[in-house]
Amino acid sequence: MPAHRFLIKRCLLADSKSLMKWMFNQPKAPVIVMAAGKYDAEYINYYSGKNVDYIYASTVLMYSPPTTYSPKYNEYLYAPFKKNPFYNHFKTLISKTCKSSNYHCPVVNIREKIKRKFTYSDINSFKAVIVFPYAVLSYYLADLITAAIPMFVPSPSFIVQNRISYDMKARDPFYCGKRFQEPQKYPNSKHSYSPEDYSKEATEYWLQFASYYTPCSIVFNNIPHLVQLMKSTNYSHVYECNLKYRKHIINHNKAQWSKLYQRIEVNRVMSLS
């Protein structure tokens, strides 16, 4: 069940060819391929032509958020929680834009505010969270969905313009970099753009499958638009939507696990090797 890209660390064509062979073209290989989210399922389709099932990478069963929206603080969380190169820039920009709009919108880092190891319930103590995602899938995002906190996320065009998501491709510098040899697109793939294409059009296209674009996410196109949405959003309604989405994830994953169990050969004799 690959997450964070099927070809990660498969830098050479020989590596990806071997992977494809054992994952899809060896009938006797004891392998069932799924994905850890929509993005990875579509990524797999581009190179293999296969339509694999996916199970949401999620922590929803680890915590039950409050049944009603009741934040303790009138503050917005900045995410990811670990400070990144964009933290000071966007935090300052949001603060200035709020001030010019006569809107009080303190943006805080949860570690600085709580000053101890934080819990899921601490996340629910805040009014909402503003996400500047460095990747299409990560567990801090799964934690935010678990907590059902209202979530502001940048549009694909905003992400591309500001180069926010720097961990999306197998050819990124900290994976394969210039050594990456991309396999050919599978002829029957339903996607026109390669997920490894750095162009604006291709990147925006693939971002639509990112895990943070849920039916309840509040998408902003720029910082003034974000502040406008911060002022006008009905947070209780968004929170209710998030609770329903959590139930969708639970039901979806249960159905997929059940389907998977039925594909596993019962009482199969395990190889001594």
Side-chain angles (χ1 to χ4, degrees):
M1 190 194 298
H4 225 40
R5 294 172 304 284
F6 185 63
L7 296 180
I8 199 164
K9 295 286 187 174
R10 265 66 180 199
C11 301
L12 306 178
L13 281 176
D15 297 335
S16 54
K17 184 177 179 181
S18 177
L19 178 69
M20 296 287 185
K21 171 186 173 182
W22 287 101
M23 294 298 101
F24 300 115
N25 300 318
Q26 289 286 71
K28 293 184 179 180
V31 176
I32 297 171
V33 179
M34 301 184 75
K38 180 71 171 171
Y39 187 96
D40 292 288
E42 301 303 337
Y43 188 106
I44 290 169
N45 175 268
Y46 182 85
Y47 294 106
S48 71
K50 305 293 184 182
N51 293 312
V52 301
D53 291 326
Y54 63 90
I55 294 175
Y56 289 100
S58 174
T59 56
V60 291
L61 294 177
M62 293 177 64
Y63 170 69
S64 296
T67 56
T68 58
Y69 178 69
S70 51
K72 179 180 176 182
Y73 308 115
N74 188 35
E75 294 170 314
Y76 296 85
L77 284 179
Y78 183 104
F81 297 145
K82 289 183 180 179
K83 289 187 178 179
N84 62 27
F86 303 99
Y87 176 73
N88 289 327
H89 172 69
F90 284 120
K91 188 172 181 288
T92 301
L93 200 55
I94 294 168
S95 178
K96 287 182 178 179
T97 308
C98 282
K99 189 174 181 180
S100 65
S101 301
N102 294 317
Y103 181 65
H104 183 62
C105 68
V107 179
V108 299
N109 176 279
I110 194 169
R111 298 171 189 271
E112 293 176 347
K113 178 70 177 182
I114 302 298
K115 296 185 170 120
R116 56 171 168 75
K117 187 175 181 180
F118 64 87
T119 64
Y120 285 116
S121 60
D122 288 324
I123 295 175
N124 284 116
S125 297
F126 295 87
K127 188 171 184 178
V129 60
I130 306 169
V131 178
F132 293 91
Y134 61 83
V136 294
L137 173 68
S138 60
Y139 268 91
Y140 86 88
L141 292 167
D143 289 343
L144 295 177
I145 292 170
T146 290
I149 183 171
M151 188 163 63
F152 293 93
V153 298
S155 64
S157 61
F158 185 97
I159 289 174
V160 172
Q161 288 168 11
N162 293 276
R163 300 181 180 179
I164 293 170
S165 287
Y166 48 84
D167 184 356
M168 285 182 62
K169 307 180 189 303
R171 65 169 80 246
D172 287 336
F174 33 83
Y175 296 118
C176 293
K178 294 180 180 179
R179 294 176 59 236
F180 183 68
Q181 298 174 346
E182 184 179 6
Q184 287 186 338
K185 170 188 173 181
Y186 193 83
N188 293 336
S189 170
K190 54 191 172 184
H191 301 292
S192 301
Y193 295 104
S194 163
E196 293 293 333
D197 183 346
Y198 279 109
S199 72
K200 176 180 182 293
E201 294 78 12
T203 306
E204 287 187 13
Y205 172 82
W206 279 94
L207 278 170
Q208 69 177 302
F209 304 119
S211 63
Y212 42 84
Y213 291 125
T214 76
C216 317
S217 299
I218 312 156
V219 181
F220 60 90
N221 298 318
N222 49 53
I223 300 303
H225 185 216
L226 167 62
V227 173
Q228 178 187 337
L229 291 170
M230 291 164 76
K231 294 170 68 175
S232 62
T233 292
N234 186 320
Y235 292 96
S236 294
H237 285 182
V238 175
Y239 188 75
E240 290 172 8
C241 180
N242 285 339
L243 292 179
K244 291 178 182 177
Y245 184 62
R246 289 180 83 259
K247 290 181 180 178
H248 162 74
I249 291 175
I250 292 171
N251 293 336
H252 173 93
N253 283 3
K254 282 183 177 179
Q256 291 299 332
W257 281 116
S258 177
K259 184 178 176 181
L260 177 61
Y261 294 155
Q262 293 171 28
R263 296 177 62 187
I264 297 172
E265 184 181 349
V266 178
N267 297 324
R268 176 166 59 90
V269 178
M270 299 299 292
S271 169
L272 294 176
S273 63

